Amino acid sequence: MEAIARIAGIISAAPAPQCEALALYSRAFGIVFQIVDDLIEVQEGREKLGKQEGEDVCNGKLNMVLLHALAVASEAERRVLMDAL
């Protein structure tokens, strides 16, 4: 999303401070969007996103939920989780 905002700023010849502000906002928005998407995928699956629960992880994509679990897990828990993946 940040790249799109930067390109839009360049194409429209917007002032540099405005482009930077829009790029930073877009980066934050993109991160929040991805976190919400990951949470919905874990909790809701097909009903909200049109894909199965856990589909991203099954396809080898790490999501924010999994990264958080790995960050707070003990070493033994991490090993079990990584073996399961």
Side-chain angles (χ1 to χ4, degrees):
M1 295 192 91
E2 179 183 355
I4 293 168
R6 288 188 186 278
I7 292 168
I10 292 167
I11 290 172
S12 67
Q18 187 178 15
C19 288
E20 188 61 23
L22 183 58
L24 293 175
Y25 172 82
S26 297
R27 178 189 303 165
F29 183 86
I31 291 168
V32 170
F33 177 88
Q34 190 59 56
I35 291 169
V36 170
D37 180 69
D38 291 346
L39 289 170
I40 291 171
E41 195 241 342
V42 168
Q43 295 177 345
E44 303 291 339
R46 188 168 301 282
E47 287 181 25
K48 297 267 180 158
L49 295 179
K51 58 184 178 181
Q52 288 293 93
E53 293 174 18
E55 186 174 318
D56 286 345
V57 174
C58 290
N59 289 328
K61 298 177 186 175
L62 292 178
N63 62 35
M64 294 303 292
V65 176
L66 180 56
L67 291 173
H68 177 71
L70 289 169
V72 299
S74 69
E75 184 62 35
E77 291 168 327
R78 265 190 232 115
R79 272 188 250 119
V80 169
L81 187 53
M82 293 305 292
D83 287 344
L85 294 171

